Amino acid sequence: MKFAIISGSTRKNSQSSKVARYVKFYLESQQQDTYFLNLAEQPIKHWNETFWNDYENFDPIWNIARKELQTSDAIIVISPEWNGMCPPALKNVFQLATKGEFANKPALIISVSASTNGVYPIAELRLNTYKNTYICYIPQHVIVRNVNKVLNSFENSESEEDTSIRKRIIYSVQLLKVYAEAFTNIRKNDIVLSNTYPYGM
């Protein structure tokens, strides 16, 4: 089982990447294979119409990422809330993901907020990123509020709030694994493989 973790912030040493690294730490402690796409360290070229004509040569960083995503069984999308929205670089990944990178794979959304916000990236991702990519968000999601105060030590919790969010993340990731096991068979089904209607409606 391979989990792809996408950190949507382009800030160096961001709180989103901290959360992503905690998720990676937990999964690897459970002997799960992971791929970590950190958009602060792996800047992917923004979509333009030349992508349609020669997507294999569009961007070497995206080429590496898309191959890793294609071989992943489940996706974890971690997004900060910037001005009430997802970062442009994160939305760009979904613009580029047209070759089955996310298709018929379960995904967990984790939203990150320095205060008590964090709802809008979840709504935006659920509304705008599934149709052509065929990503399948599970009903569970996580909002890491007051993120500066939690997950600062991966091994040791520092407060009740810290303990609580760790439990919620672990539960949600475990649930995602159950979905991923089921979706392995879904992707092998003939009607799914036929891809008769590639644009979702």
Side-chain angles (χ1 to χ4, degrees):
M1 192 68 61
K2 180 177 175 181
F3 293 79
I5 305 163
I6 303 172
S7 176
S9 176
T10 52
R11 290 176 175 163
K12 300 293 183 184
N13 302 314
S14 70
Q15 293 297 314
S16 296
S17 67
K18 179 185 76 174
V19 174
R21 292 181 194 283
Y22 174 76
V23 172
K24 185 175 185 289
F25 167 80
Y26 168 72
L27 282 167
E28 291 178 351
S29 76
Q30 303 301 303
Q31 288 75 54
Q32 299 297 325
D33 190 15
T34 63
Y35 165 63
F36 182 27
L37 176 58
N38 185 348
L39 296 180
E41 298 176 357
Q42 297 150 278
I44 294 170
K45 182 179 176 180
H46 276 248
W47 183 94
N48 64 62
E49 62 184 9
T50 63
F51 178 76
W52 287 331
N53 301 321
D54 191 10
Y55 74 89
E56 290 185 354
N57 296 308
F58 179 75
D59 178 35
I61 297 176
W62 173 243
N63 265 350
I64 295 169
R66 70 182 178 85
K67 290 172 184 176
E68 292 282 357
L69 292 168
Q70 285 169 345
T71 59
S72 296
D73 300 291
I75 313 296
I76 300 170
V77 182
I78 299 170
S79 176
E81 185 174 276
W82 287 0
N83 199 27
M85 294 179 282
C86 299
L90 178 56
K91 288 189 275 191
N92 183 56
V93 169
F94 290 94
Q95 290 280 354
L96 297 171
T98 61
K99 303 298 178 183
E101 292 86 356
F102 298 138
N104 303 299
K105 296 175 184 179
L108 169 68
I109 301 170
I110 301 179
S111 178
V112 173
S113 174
S115 61
T116 57
N117 299 313
V119 173
Y120 286 98
I122 294 168
E124 185 176 6
L125 287 165
R126 289 189 185 277
L127 178 64
N128 294 328
T129 62
Y130 78 94
K131 185 179 82 71
N132 287 15
T133 67
Y134 274 64
I135 197 168
C136 298
Y137 292 114
I138 67 172
Q140 189 74 220
H141 60 252
V142 180
I143 303 175
V144 183
R145 295 188 166 109
N146 300 310
V147 67
N148 295 292
K149 299 178 181 179
V150 299
L151 306 177
N152 292 313
S153 166
F154 290 173
E155 290 84 3
N156 301 306
S157 174
E158 299 174 351
S159 66
E160 289 185 12
E161 183 180 18
D162 198 357
T163 299
S164 177
I165 199 61
R166 289 166 195 256
K167 288 181 178 178
R168 185 60 181 263
I169 290 171
I170 289 169
Y171 168 80
S172 299
V173 170
Q174 289 174 341
L175 185 63
L176 179 66
K177 183 176 183 291
V178 175
Y179 276 88
E181 290 166 350
F183 270 70
T184 300
N185 287 328
I186 291 172
R187 289 195 298 279
K188 295 176 182 177
N189 188 280
D190 287 343
I191 195 169
V192 173
L193 290 172
S194 71
N195 199 31
T196 305
Y197 300 104
Y199 301 114
M201 64 173 63

